[in-house]
């Protein structure tokens, strides 16, 4: 069983990591490589291979980049998916973006009549993410929407074919959009904020993708579908900031779009293919290249 950091230890570790990254950025301008920027799986010490943390999905990686099967509980540990960026607006937008990604995955599955598969994706926003940003929602004077998410989750469990499921799903999406709109439009459409959020979401997508794969097979459909939803929404975010990115650095903007399109090929459909289209290492590599290309646009 993995040894799980206590919240205060995790907080201190994240703070230290942020400081180290800041120092590294200051000293390595112009000399970063894709390998340096490539995200790596969260390291855990386990007694058995393939067993993740009790509170979150295991992201311990094999040497070839393929992940072990995840453990019980929610993604990213007790605190939800992803890690703090050190920027409250980025963290806020990322959490809401992950909610959107989950609901995108759920919608695709419900459109195919796969309500049982869709339900966990509907549950994740309220079970794993809402609590983490609830204080920020209150601070930013955003109306609560936990009740909408809960009602949707309960209904899809008890009466998935009820027409109100579709209505509540749309309402949940709209309320998340309203929460996002609290950030001024000029900031939301800026490459600095937008790409920072995209990079956070893509790192989480890469972790989820890795957690879905073992022995060159997709063994966890849920994690595969999560990661697909995150990448689909990251594409939407980039479309919103693409004109500004192209004005600032046409060459880097072109690279980012090309790498995003290539990355998206890892998820040909909401249902996992028999064999992964890309290895976790290839996915991490593309995420690293996107982050490298975006570095000139986020300064």
């Amino acid at each position: 069983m993995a040894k799980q950091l206590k919240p205060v230890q995790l907080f201190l570790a994240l703070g230290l990591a942020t400081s180290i990254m800041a120092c590294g950025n200051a000293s390595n301008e112009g000399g970063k490589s894709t390998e340096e920027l490539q995200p790596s799986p969260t390291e855990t010490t386990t007694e058995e291979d393939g067993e993740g943390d009790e509170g979150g999905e295991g992201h311990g990686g094999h040497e070839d980049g393929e992940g072990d099967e995840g453990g019980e509980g929610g993604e990213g540990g007790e605190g939800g998916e992803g890690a703090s960026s050190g920027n409250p607006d980025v963290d806020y937008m990322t959490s809401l973006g992950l909610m959107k990604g989950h609901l995108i995955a759920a919608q695709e599955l419900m459109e195919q009549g796969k309500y049982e598969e869709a339900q966990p994706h509907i549950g994740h926003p309220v079970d794993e993410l809402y609590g983490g940003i609830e204080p920020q929602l209150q601070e930013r004077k955003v109306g609560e929407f936990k009740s909408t998410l809960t009602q949707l989750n309960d209904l899809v469990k008890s009466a998935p074919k009820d027409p109100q499921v579709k209505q509540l799903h749309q309402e949940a999406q709209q309320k998340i959009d309203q929460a996002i709109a609290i950030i001024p439009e000029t900031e939301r459409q800026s490459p600095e904020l937008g790409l920072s959020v995209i990079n956070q979401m893509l790192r989480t997508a890469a972790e989820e993708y890795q957690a879905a794969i073992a022995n060159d097979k997709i063994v966890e459909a849920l994690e595969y579908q999560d990661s697909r939803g995150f990448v689909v929404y990251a594409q939407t975010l980039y479309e919103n900031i693409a004109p500004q990115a192209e004005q600032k650095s046409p060459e880097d903007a072109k690279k980012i779009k090309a790498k995003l399109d290539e990355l998206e090929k890892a998820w040909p459909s909401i249902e996992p293919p028999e064999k992964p289209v890309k290895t976790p290492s290839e996915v991490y590599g593309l995420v690293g290249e996107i982050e490298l290309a975006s570095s000139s646009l986020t300064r």
Side-chain angles (χ1 to χ4, degrees), residues 1-4 42-54 56-62 68-71:
M1 183 178 295
K3 182 179 179 182
Q4 190 170 16
T42 303
E43 294 181 358
T44 56
T45 303
T46 61
E47 295 175 3
E48 284 183 53
D49 290 339
E51 186 175 323
D53 295 344
E54 289 183 1
E57 293 174 351
H59 297 311
H62 295 299
D68 298 329
E69 292 184 26

Side-chain angles (χ1 to χ4, degrees), residues 138-208:
Q138 294 170 352
E139 183 180 332
R140 296 170 190 263
K141 296 181 170 38
V142 176
E144 73 84 26
F145 54 93
K146 183 177 182 179
S147 56
T148 301
L149 293 171
T150 301
Q151 189 178 356
L152 171 61
N153 191 34
D154 291 344
L155 189 59
V156 82
K157 287 178 182 177
S158 61
K161 295 184 180 180
D162 189 315
Q164 196 178 4
V165 168
K166 183 176 181 180
Q167 179 184 336
L168 284 169
H169 185 275
Q170 291 174 342
E171 184 180 340
Q173 292 268 33
Q174 290 168 358
K175 290 194 173 183
I176 295 170
D177 288 337
Q178 289 168 5
I180 291 171
I182 288 295
I183 302 290
E185 185 177 6
T186 53
E187 292 182 37
R188 282 185 281 117
Q189 293 187 347
S190 70
E192 291 82 4
L193 179 61
L195 283 168
S196 295
V197 173
I198 288 168
N199 287 333
Q200 287 284 98
M201 290 196 66
L202 293 182
R203 282 174 176 265
T204 303
E207 291 172 3
E208 294 295 314

Side-chain angles (χ1 to χ4, degrees), residues 1 3 18 29 38 42 53 78 81 104 116 120 123 129 133 151 180 195 201 218 225 241 269 277 285-286 296:
M1 183 178 295
K3 182 179 179 182
T18 302
E29 286 187 14
Q38 182 170 322
T42 303
D53 295 344
E78 293 179 2
E81 295 158 312
I104 286 169
E116 189 173 345
L129 290 165
I133 62 164
Q151 189 178 356
I180 291 171
L195 283 168
M201 290 196 66
I218 297 175
Q225 291 161 352
I241 64 168
S269 64
V277 174
L286 286 165
S296 66

